[in-house]
Structures are given as structure tokens and as C-alpha cells.
Amino acid sequence: MKKQYPALLFFFASLFFVADACAQLRIVKDNIACLYGLKNDKGEWVMPAKFQQMQQLPNHFFTTVVSNMTGLINPEGREIASPQYDQVMVFEPQPGFASMPPGKANNLYRFQLRKEDRYGLIDGEGKILYPVKYKIIAADGGQCIVLQGEDNSCSYINASGETLFMMKNAYFFPFLGKNITRFTSTENHFSGVISQSGKIILPARFHAITICTGTNMIAVMEKGKTGYYDMEGKELLAPRYRFNSGYSSGELPCIHPGSGLLEVYNDTAWGILGGDLRMITPCRYDEIVREYGDFQLPEFFWRVRYKKGWGTLNTEGREVIA
């Protein structure tokens, strides 16, 4: 056992010196040349001062700028991307590696390069993972990525570089921990829903989609009308109503039993829909107005107009004054 101590001491000492050397690299300005470089803790130039700007990134990487173009230097002071890109961004390192000593496991860090309107990906050693030719490179939880190519094909790729599935003439959004996500056709620009296995849950025929993870429903808009499906694509409420309550553009209401009663319109008349998607009052009114009562009336009620007459609905959607 004693013979193992020197080897163990050498191993830990090596880690310390590598980490310490990398950690001591710092940005220094050459006041005569008015340019920036990197020096170590001994004051020696590790990277000569030749950059107009420099900035330190997490985990001891550095961006460089020359003539408004950006490059990248790794923790050892080696230039792994010359200043020829419009932007260099940290691309979400794989989980668990943020605590690694500087200079160790550089290949586990990833950086996104942008030049004009195309993107690429390199690791912390400068190895090209994906050349700068993609329309979209999006991270999905640090494990998988979404790639959209020149031919408008979109691929879902795992951490090993294996393509899990690919869609043609469409692009989809990162799953971000969900089992399904929205995709959009590049041909008709309508949206649908796809699973992580590549199964089409809903075809691309909707103008807008919101995945309501809290209620396990998918809200869709088709021709201006809202409907709902479950997470497997089963229709819960056909897109036949317009909601009176406002919501932001592109974001549909994620209703649930606690949502209460909602005013809906079917292009000819108004009615009331429950948060459980049951029709409380059929669409038969020409106008419906939610009113808030006084001390003699409930918290709120509806005034409704049918032809030329007005009536009142209570909080349960029942007529109390015809």
C-alpha cells in the first residue's frame, strides 16, 4: 500500500498544477499597442497581445475580437477559433462538468458559432462538431440538440451524435423535458405536435398551438377557433369556439376545471363553456356581458341578449331572468 502513495500524490498534484496554471491566465492590455492578450501568474505572455477586445467566459474560456469579428481561446491559452465569426456563445455544457478543473474535459464544453445567418458547433478543444451551415442549432436540456439544415430538414440528435429522428420540410422546438413539442411546416407554415420518438401526434394544420403541461392538454387554433386535445392527440373539444377572454398572440388559454366559466362564440351566437370543456349554456345569445353585482346579487352574473330582449344568467350559467 505504501508504494501507491507517491503515485497518488503525483496524480493529485498534477491536477492541482493544471488547474492552478489555467486558473491564473488573465486578460492583460499592452498599453503601447493598445491590444489585449493573456498572461500567466508569472507575468509571461501565453497569448500575445493582438486582440482589440477580450472577455472571459465561464470555465476559463475567453472570447477575442478583431475588426468586430469574434474568436475563442481555451483555458490553456490556445486559440481554438480565430476571430472570423459574428458571435461565439456558450452552448450549454453537459450536466456535471461545470465543476471539472480548468483544462480538464475541455472537449465536453460546446460553443455555438454564428456567421451571418448560419450556425455551427465546436467543443472546447476546437473540434468541429457541426460546421457553420445550419439555420438552427438549439440545445435541449444539455443532452440533445435540434438541427435545421439548408434543405429545411430538422434532426433531433442525442449527446452521442446519433440522429433519433428527422423531419423534412419542417422545424420543431426543443422538448425541454416534455414528451412532446410543437413543429411547424416550412411548406404551409401551419403547426402540429410531435413526440420525442418522432411520432406525429397532431398534423401540421393549426395556426397556433400551446402545450399545456399543467393540464395535460394541447390547445390549438384553427381558422381563428380554439379547441383541445389530450397529450396522445385525442380530440377533447373540436376547434369551433372563439374565447371572449383575451390572451397574448400565439398563446392559447390552458383552461382547466378551476378556470371557472368562460364566454365562447361559435360565429353565430354566444354561450358559456366550463373549465372541464362541458358546454354549460349552448351558444344561442346575440350578446353576453359579464357584470359584477352589488350586495344583493352574486359576485358576478351575465346579462344576455336574445333578439331584442335581455335576460340574466347566474354564476352557474342558468337563466334567472328570461
PDB file of all heavy atoms in Angstrom, residues 65-88:
ATOM      1  N   VAL A  65     -11.819  39.592 -30.049  1.00  0.00           N
ATOM      2  CA  VAL A  65     -12.447  40.400 -31.097  1.00  0.00           C
ATOM      3  C   VAL A  65     -11.368  41.121 -31.888  1.00  0.00           C
ATOM      4  O   VAL A  65     -10.482  41.765 -31.311  1.00  0.00           O
ATOM      5  CB  VAL A  65     -13.436  41.428 -30.503  1.00  0.00           C
ATOM      6  CG1 VAL A  65     -13.994  42.331 -31.607  1.00  0.00           C
ATOM      7  CG2 VAL A  65     -14.570  40.724 -29.774  1.00  0.00           C
ATOM      8  N   VAL A  66     -11.467  40.999 -33.210  1.00  0.00           N
ATOM      9  CA  VAL A  66     -10.622  41.746 -34.138  1.00  0.00           C
ATOM     10  C   VAL A  66     -11.516  42.198 -35.285  1.00  0.00           C
ATOM     11  O   VAL A  66     -12.175  41.370 -35.929  1.00  0.00           O
ATOM     12  CB  VAL A  66      -9.455  40.894 -34.689  1.00  0.00           C
ATOM     13  CG1 VAL A  66      -8.686  41.680 -35.751  1.00  0.00           C
ATOM     14  CG2 VAL A  66      -8.523  40.464 -33.571  1.00  0.00           C
ATOM     15  N   SER A  67     -11.542  43.508 -35.524  1.00  0.00           N
ATOM     16  CA  SER A  67     -12.361  44.080 -36.606  1.00  0.00           C
ATOM     17  C   SER A  67     -13.808  43.609 -36.513  1.00  0.00           C
ATOM     18  O   SER A  67     -14.434  43.217 -37.503  1.00  0.00           O
ATOM     19  CB  SER A  67     -11.778  43.722 -37.974  1.00  0.00           C
ATOM     20  OG  SER A  67     -10.463  44.223 -38.109  1.00  0.00           O
ATOM     21  N   ASN A  68     -14.336  43.618 -35.268  1.00  0.00           N
ATOM     22  CA  ASN A  68     -15.732  43.263 -34.990  1.00  0.00           C
ATOM     23  C   ASN A  68     -16.057  41.793 -35.254  1.00  0.00           C
ATOM     24  O   ASN A  68     -17.227  41.406 -35.263  1.00  0.00           O
ATOM     25  CB  ASN A  68     -16.695  44.143 -35.790  1.00  0.00           C
ATOM     26  CG  ASN A  68     -16.652  45.594 -35.351  1.00  0.00           C
ATOM     27  OD1 ASN A  68     -16.542  45.877 -34.153  1.00  0.00           O
ATOM     28  ND2 ASN A  68     -16.733  46.505 -36.294  1.00  0.00           N
ATOM     29  N   MET A  69     -15.070  40.966 -35.452  1.00  0.00           N
ATOM     30  CA  MET A  69     -15.264  39.531 -35.614  1.00  0.00           C
ATOM     31  C   MET A  69     -14.747  38.823 -34.360  1.00  0.00           C
ATOM     32  O   MET A  69     -13.756  39.255 -33.763  1.00  0.00           O
ATOM     33  CB  MET A  69     -14.573  38.998 -36.864  1.00  0.00           C
ATOM     34  CG  MET A  69     -14.999  39.702 -38.150  1.00  0.00           C
ATOM     35  SD  MET A  69     -16.786  39.624 -38.450  1.00  0.00           S
ATOM     36  CE  MET A  69     -16.967  37.910 -38.943  1.00  0.00           C
ATOM     37  N   THR A  70     -15.401  37.728 -33.984  1.00  0.00           N
ATOM     38  CA  THR A  70     -15.154  37.088 -32.688  1.00  0.00           C
ATOM     39  C   THR A  70     -14.496  35.728 -32.843  1.00  0.00           C
ATOM     40  O   THR A  70     -14.795  34.982 -33.777  1.00  0.00           O
ATOM     41  CB  THR A  70     -16.483  36.928 -31.921  1.00  0.00           C
ATOM     42  OG1 THR A  70     -17.126  38.193 -31.843  1.00  0.00           O
ATOM     43  CG2 THR A  70     -16.245  36.403 -30.512  1.00  0.00           C
ATOM     44  N   GLY A  71     -13.597  35.412 -31.904  1.00  0.00           N
ATOM     45  CA  GLY A  71     -12.948  34.112 -31.843  1.00  0.00           C
ATOM     46  C   GLY A  71     -13.015  33.562 -30.434  1.00  0.00           C
ATOM     47  O   GLY A  71     -13.697  34.109 -29.562  1.00  0.00           O
ATOM     48  N   LEU A  72     -12.247  32.472 -30.161  1.00  0.00           N
ATOM     49  CA  LEU A  72     -12.326  31.803 -28.867  1.00  0.00           C
ATOM     50  C   LEU A  72     -10.974  31.214 -28.488  1.00  0.00           C
ATOM     51  O   LEU A  72     -10.266  30.649 -29.323  1.00  0.00           O
ATOM     52  CB  LEU A  72     -13.374  30.680 -28.931  1.00  0.00           C
ATOM     53  CG  LEU A  72     -13.686  29.954 -27.630  1.00  0.00           C
ATOM     54  CD1 LEU A  72     -14.371  30.885 -26.636  1.00  0.00           C
ATOM     55  CD2 LEU A  72     -14.583  28.737 -27.910  1.00  0.00           C
ATOM     56  N   ILE A  73     -10.617  31.340 -27.200  1.00  0.00           N
ATOM     57  CA  ILE A  73      -9.396  30.771 -26.634  1.00  0.00           C
ATOM     58  C   ILE A  73      -9.795  29.858 -25.478  1.00  0.00           C
ATOM     59  O   ILE A  73     -10.665  30.208 -24.672  1.00  0.00           O
ATOM     60  CB  ILE A  73      -8.446  31.883 -26.136  1.00  0.00           C
ATOM     61  CG1 ILE A  73      -7.947  32.720 -27.319  1.00  0.00           C
ATOM     62  CG2 ILE A  73      -7.273  31.302 -25.367  1.00  0.00           C
ATOM     63  CD1 ILE A  73      -7.095  33.898 -26.900  1.00  0.00           C
ATOM     64  N   ASN A  74      -9.127  28.690 -25.381  1.00  0.00           N
ATOM     65  CA  ASN A  74      -9.481  27.751 -24.314  1.00  0.00           C
ATOM     66  C   ASN A  74      -8.654  28.024 -23.049  1.00  0.00           C
ATOM     67  O   ASN A  74      -7.795  28.921 -23.043  1.00  0.00           O
ATOM     68  CB  ASN A  74      -9.347  26.307 -24.809  1.00  0.00           C
ATOM     69  CG  ASN A  74      -7.907  25.859 -24.952  1.00  0.00           C
ATOM     70  OD1 ASN A  74      -6.960  26.581 -24.621  1.00  0.00           O
ATOM     71  ND2 ASN A  74      -7.719  24.647 -25.451  1.00  0.00           N
ATOM     72  N   PRO A  75      -8.888  27.294 -21.939  1.00  0.00           N
ATOM     73  CA  PRO A  75      -8.212  27.605 -20.674  1.00  0.00           C
ATOM     74  C   PRO A  75      -6.696  27.492 -20.708  1.00  0.00           C
ATOM     75  O   PRO A  75      -6.011  28.075 -19.860  1.00  0.00           O
ATOM     76  CB  PRO A  75      -8.809  26.572 -19.703  1.00  0.00           C
ATOM     77  CG  PRO A  75     -10.146  26.269 -20.262  1.00  0.00           C
ATOM     78  CD  PRO A  75      -9.959  26.288 -21.745  1.00  0.00           C
ATOM     79  N   GLU A  76      -6.114  26.745 -21.666  1.00  0.00           N
ATOM     80  CA  GLU A  76      -4.657  26.654 -21.771  1.00  0.00           C
ATOM     81  C   GLU A  76      -4.065  27.832 -22.532  1.00  0.00           C
ATOM     82  O   GLU A  76      -2.847  27.924 -22.667  1.00  0.00           O
ATOM     83  CB  GLU A  76      -4.256  25.352 -22.473  1.00  0.00           C
ATOM     84  CG  GLU A  76      -4.420  24.106 -21.624  1.00  0.00           C
ATOM     85  CD  GLU A  76      -5.855  23.621 -21.597  1.00  0.00           C
ATOM     86  OE1 GLU A  76      -6.593  23.889 -22.564  1.00  0.00           O
ATOM     87  OE2 GLU A  76      -6.251  22.992 -20.600  1.00  0.00           O
ATOM     88  N   GLY A  77      -4.922  28.722 -23.030  1.00  0.00           N
ATOM     89  CA  GLY A  77      -4.434  29.857 -23.797  1.00  0.00           C
ATOM     90  C   GLY A  77      -4.248  29.552 -25.265  1.00  0.00           C
ATOM     91  O   GLY A  77      -3.555  30.280 -25.977  1.00  0.00           O
ATOM     92  N   ARG A  78      -4.855  28.483 -25.742  1.00  0.00           N
ATOM     93  CA  ARG A  78      -4.749  28.112 -27.148  1.00  0.00           C
ATOM     94  C   ARG A  78      -5.954  28.632 -27.925  1.00  0.00           C
ATOM     95  O   ARG A  78      -7.089  28.461 -27.498  1.00  0.00           O
ATOM     96  CB  ARG A  78      -4.637  26.590 -27.284  1.00  0.00           C
ATOM     97  CG  ARG A  78      -4.448  26.112 -28.718  1.00  0.00           C
ATOM     98  CD  ARG A  78      -4.016  24.651 -28.746  1.00  0.00           C
ATOM     99  NE  ARG A  78      -4.987  23.772 -28.102  1.00  0.00           N
ATOM    100  CZ  ARG A  78      -6.058  23.263 -28.742  1.00  0.00           C
ATOM    101  NH1 ARG A  78      -6.276  23.558 -30.027  1.00  0.00           N
ATOM    102  NH2 ARG A  78      -6.872  22.453 -28.111  1.00  0.00           N
ATOM    103  N   GLU A  79      -5.671  29.262 -29.040  1.00  0.00           N
ATOM    104  CA  GLU A  79      -6.744  29.801 -29.869  1.00  0.00           C
ATOM    105  C   GLU A  79      -7.414  28.650 -30.620  1.00  0.00           C
ATOM    106  O   GLU A  79      -6.793  27.998 -31.465  1.00  0.00           O
ATOM    107  CB  GLU A  79      -6.189  30.838 -30.858  1.00  0.00           C
ATOM    108  CG  GLU A  79      -7.259  31.584 -31.628  1.00  0.00           C
ATOM    109  CD  GLU A  79      -6.664  32.697 -32.497  1.00  0.00           C
ATOM    110  OE1 GLU A  79      -5.621  32.453 -33.133  1.00  0.00           O
ATOM    111  OE2 GLU A  79      -7.243  33.793 -32.532  1.00  0.00           O
ATOM    112  N   ILE A  80      -8.671  28.393 -30.307  1.00  0.00           N
ATOM    113  CA  ILE A  80      -9.373  27.269 -30.932  1.00  0.00           C
ATOM    114  C   ILE A  80     -10.354  27.741 -32.008  1.00  0.00           C
ATOM    115  O   ILE A  80     -10.882  26.925 -32.762  1.00  0.00           O
ATOM    116  CB  ILE A  80     -10.120  26.419 -29.886  1.00  0.00           C
ATOM    117  CG1 ILE A  80     -11.136  27.256 -29.107  1.00  0.00           C
ATOM    118  CG2 ILE A  80      -9.130  25.772 -28.938  1.00  0.00           C
ATOM    119  CD1 ILE A  80     -11.970  26.438 -28.132  1.00  0.00           C
ATOM    120  N   ALA A  81     -10.582  29.052 -32.082  1.00  0.00           N
ATOM    121  CA  ALA A  81     -11.390  29.621 -33.167  1.00  0.00           C
ATOM    122  C   ALA A  81     -10.875  31.030 -33.421  1.00  0.00           C
ATOM    123  O   ALA A  81     -10.887  31.872 -32.524  1.00  0.00           O
ATOM    124  CB  ALA A  81     -12.868  29.644 -32.807  1.00  0.00           C
ATOM    125  N   SER A  82     -10.363  31.270 -34.616  1.00  0.00           N
ATOM    126  CA  SER A  82      -9.839  32.602 -34.936  1.00  0.00           C
ATOM    127  C   SER A  82     -10.986  33.588 -35.055  1.00  0.00           C
ATOM    128  O   SER A  82     -12.140  33.205 -35.294  1.00  0.00           O
ATOM    129  CB  SER A  82      -9.048  32.543 -36.244  1.00  0.00           C
ATOM    130  OG  SER A  82      -9.890  32.142 -37.320  1.00  0.00           O
ATOM    131  N   PRO A  83     -10.728  34.886 -34.891  1.00  0.00           N
ATOM    132  CA  PRO A  83     -11.793  35.896 -34.960  1.00  0.00           C
ATOM    133  C   PRO A  83     -12.346  36.048 -36.385  1.00  0.00           C
ATOM    134  O   PRO A  83     -11.903  36.902 -37.153  1.00  0.00           O
ATOM    135  CB  PRO A  83     -11.091  37.172 -34.486  1.00  0.00           C
ATOM    136  CG  PRO A  83      -9.865  36.730 -33.780  1.00  0.00           C
ATOM    137  CD  PRO A  83      -9.448  35.474 -34.483  1.00  0.00           C
ATOM    138  N   GLN A  84     -13.320  35.224 -36.723  1.00  0.00           N
ATOM    139  CA  GLN A  84     -13.934  35.267 -38.047  1.00  0.00           C
ATOM    140  C   GLN A  84     -15.450  35.085 -37.979  1.00  0.00           C
ATOM    141  O   GLN A  84     -16.114  34.979 -39.007  1.00  0.00           O
ATOM    142  CB  GLN A  84     -13.346  34.166 -38.938  1.00  0.00           C
ATOM    143  CG  GLN A  84     -13.502  32.763 -38.365  1.00  0.00           C
ATOM    144  CD  GLN A  84     -12.979  31.684 -39.298  1.00  0.00           C
ATOM    145  OE1 GLN A  84     -13.388  31.616 -40.452  1.00  0.00           O
ATOM    146  NE2 GLN A  84     -12.050  30.864 -38.801  1.00  0.00           N
ATOM    147  N   TYR A  85     -15.999  35.117 -36.754  1.00  0.00           N
ATOM    148  CA  TYR A  85     -17.417  34.851 -36.569  1.00  0.00           C
ATOM    149  C   TYR A  85     -18.136  36.093 -36.040  1.00  0.00           C
ATOM    150  O   TYR A  85     -17.560  36.912 -35.331  1.00  0.00           O
ATOM    151  CB  TYR A  85     -17.624  33.672 -35.615  1.00  0.00           C
ATOM    152  CG  TYR A  85     -16.927  32.421 -36.092  1.00  0.00           C
ATOM    153  CD1 TYR A  85     -15.689  32.039 -35.570  1.00  0.00           C
ATOM    154  CD2 TYR A  85     -17.485  31.645 -37.104  1.00  0.00           C
ATOM    155  CE1 TYR A  85     -15.042  30.900 -36.028  1.00  0.00           C
ATOM    156  CE2 TYR A  85     -16.837  30.507 -37.572  1.00  0.00           C
ATOM    157  CZ  TYR A  85     -15.621  30.139 -37.033  1.00  0.00           C
ATOM    158  OH  TYR A  85     -14.969  29.016 -37.495  1.00  0.00           O
ATOM    159  N   ASP A  86     -19.408  36.194 -36.373  1.00  0.00           N
ATOM    160  CA  ASP A  86     -20.208  37.314 -35.872  1.00  0.00           C
ATOM    161  C   ASP A  86     -20.488  37.166 -34.380  1.00  0.00           C
ATOM    162  O   ASP A  86     -20.666  38.153 -33.681  1.00  0.00           O
ATOM    163  CB  ASP A  86     -21.535  37.404 -36.633  1.00  0.00           C
ATOM    164  CG  ASP A  86     -21.324  37.738 -38.107  1.00  0.00           C
ATOM    165  OD1 ASP A  86     -20.495  38.623 -38.387  1.00  0.00           O
ATOM    166  OD2 ASP A  86     -21.970  37.114 -38.970  1.00  0.00           O
ATOM    167  N   GLN A  87     -20.528  35.915 -33.906  1.00  0.00           N
ATOM    168  CA  GLN A  87     -20.821  35.685 -32.495  1.00  0.00           C
ATOM    169  C   GLN A  87     -20.325  34.305 -32.083  1.00  0.00           C
ATOM    170  O   GLN A  87     -20.392  33.347 -32.855  1.00  0.00           O
ATOM    171  CB  GLN A  87     -22.333  35.792 -32.250  1.00  0.00           C
ATOM    172  CG  GLN A  87     -22.738  35.863 -30.798  1.00  0.00           C
ATOM    173  CD  GLN A  87     -24.236  36.110 -30.638  1.00  0.00           C
ATOM    174  OE1 GLN A  87     -25.025  35.805 -31.532  1.00  0.00           O
ATOM    175  NE2 GLN A  87     -24.634  36.661 -29.503  1.00  0.00           N
ATOM    176  N   VAL A  88     -19.802  34.224 -30.843  1.00  0.00           N
ATOM    177  CA  VAL A  88     -19.423  32.955 -30.229  1.00  0.00           C
ATOM    178  C   VAL A  88     -20.143  32.880 -28.896  1.00  0.00           C
ATOM    179  O   VAL A  88     -20.010  33.775 -28.057  1.00  0.00           O
ATOM    180  CB  VAL A  88     -17.901  32.842 -30.020  1.00  0.00           C
ATOM    181  CG1 VAL A  88     -17.565  31.554 -29.283  1.00  0.00           C
ATOM    182  CG2 VAL A  88     -17.168  32.900 -31.350  1.00  0.00           C
TER     183      VAL A  88
END
